[in-house]
């Protein structure tokens, strides 16, 4: 059985839409594409290399993120680029109702209902399945309580609009922070593992005599 992790770039107000460029996702007139770029320093590059090279065995993507990745990474043939080497070789699973064929090496279309297909995939595969980007897909994972770990790369910027990582309908869960550090530009990298159901309580004030 595999672990399913969500690796995602977010702002302080939780926006995950179009971190890498202005034309990446312009839904609803979103004008802030590329907000991550000013914070991508050498620390960021080393971190992304470690995330892909050491901790991801399978990649799970939605249609739009797959199109972005597949239009770029197959063209990166430098054997000294560890991210390109890993991404081009590793198994990739795509959730899409419109794609019929996948040209990127070792890519596979999920069949049937998305949540059920991913649940089966988790049972059948070993290692780590990583999802990056793919907001609609992440919403499905959240609604069906399929996420085992979040790896958040939080940029110190507030946009005030855009698609957010967490929205209504996510399964209530508690999480444990297992790793955290800051990059040279102030980006926070935080790893959260699922810790079961949330606990609730109340603050009781002492009676004053």
């Amino acid at each position: 059985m595999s672990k399913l992790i969500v690796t995602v770039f977010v702002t302080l107000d939780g926006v995950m839409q179009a971190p890498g460029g202005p034309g990446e996702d312009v839904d609803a007139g979103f004008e802030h594409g590329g907000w991550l770029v000013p914070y991508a320093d050498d620390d960021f590059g080393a971190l992304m290399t470690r995330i892909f090279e050491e901790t991801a065995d399978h990649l799970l993507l939605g249609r739009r993120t797959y199109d972005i990745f597949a239009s770029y990474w197959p063209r990166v043939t430098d054997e000294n680029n560890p991210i390109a080497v890993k991404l081009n070789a590793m198994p990739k699973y795509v959730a899409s109702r419109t794609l019929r064929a996948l040209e990127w090496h070792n890519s596979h279309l999920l069949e049937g209902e998305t949540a059920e297909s991913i649940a089966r995939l988790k049972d059948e595969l070993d290692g780590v399945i990583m999802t990056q980007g793919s907001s609609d897909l992440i919403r499905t994972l959240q609604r069906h309580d399929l996420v085992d770990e979040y790896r958040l790369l939080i940029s110190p910027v507030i946009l005030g609009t855009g698609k957010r990582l967490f929205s209504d309908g996510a399964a209530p869960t508690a999480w444990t922070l297992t790793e955290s550090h800051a990059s040279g530009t102030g980006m926070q990298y935080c790893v959260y593992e699922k810790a079961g159901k949330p606990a609730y309580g109340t603050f009781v004030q002492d009676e004053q005599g």
Side-chain angles (χ1 to χ4, degrees):
M1 186 171 182
S2 58
K3 173 190 286 188
L4 197 156
I5 66 171
V6 169
T7 298
V8 64
F9 308 115
V10 293
T11 63
L12 288 178
D13 54 340
V15 174
M16 60 178 293
Q17 186 171 359
E24 198 171 281
D25 185 351
V26 295
D27 283 1
F30 187 72
E31 299 178 351
H32 303 285
W35 50 265
L36 166 69
V37 177
Y39 304 100
D41 59 0
D42 289 342
D43 291 343
F44 170 82
L47 177 60
M48 294 309 298
T49 297
R50 178 165 69 86
I51 288 173
F52 280 108
E53 192 175 24
E54 298 179 5
T55 60
D57 302 297
H58 317 272
L59 199 61
L60 173 65
L61 300 171
R63 164 67 187 269
R64 185 171 296 177
T65 306
Y66 175 83
D67 285 344
I68 293 170
F69 277 36
S71 68
Y72 176 76
W73 289 109
R75 298 186 288 110
V76 182
T77 57
D78 182 1
E79 295 182 354
N80 294 314
N81 185 320
I83 296 179
V85 170
K86 184 64 179 282
L87 285 177
N88 287 324
M90 71 192 303
K92 294 162 280 283
Y93 299 90
V94 184
S96 172
R97 293 185 176 88
T98 56
L99 284 174
R100 294 294 176 265
L102 304 175
E103 297 183 0
W104 193 9
H105 173 69
N106 212 2
S107 295
H108 313 275
L109 273 172
L110 293 178
E111 297 181 357
E113 198 275 329
T114 300
E116 293 179 0
S117 297
I118 294 171
R120 287 195 300 270
L121 203 64
K122 288 184 66 176
D123 286 336
E124 295 169 359
L125 299 177
D126 293 322
V128 172
I129 303 173
M130 185 171 76
T131 298
Q132 186 172 12
S134 307
S135 58
D136 291 341
L137 175 58
I138 290 174
R139 298 276 190 278
T140 298
L141 299 175
Q142 291 170 339
R143 284 195 303 270
H144 294 271
D145 198 20
L146 291 169
V147 180
D148 299 305
E149 181 175 295
Y150 284 100
R151 296 176 184 172
L152 307 183
L153 295 110
I154 307 167
S155 296
V157 60
I158 293 173
L159 300 182
T161 185
K163 298 175 183 175
R164 285 169 166 75
L165 174 59
F166 298 104
S167 61
D168 291 346
T173 46
W175 301 82
T176 298
L177 180 66
T178 60
E179 182 180 351
S180 176
H181 68 261
S183 74
T185 57
M187 179 181 290
Q188 292 285 336
Y189 174 62
C190 300
V191 179
Y192 293 91
E193 292 186 354
K194 188 189 294 184
K197 297 293 184 181
Y200 304 98
T202 185
F203 291 105
V204 179
Q205 294 183 343
D206 294 335
E207 293 185 5
Q208 301 297 315

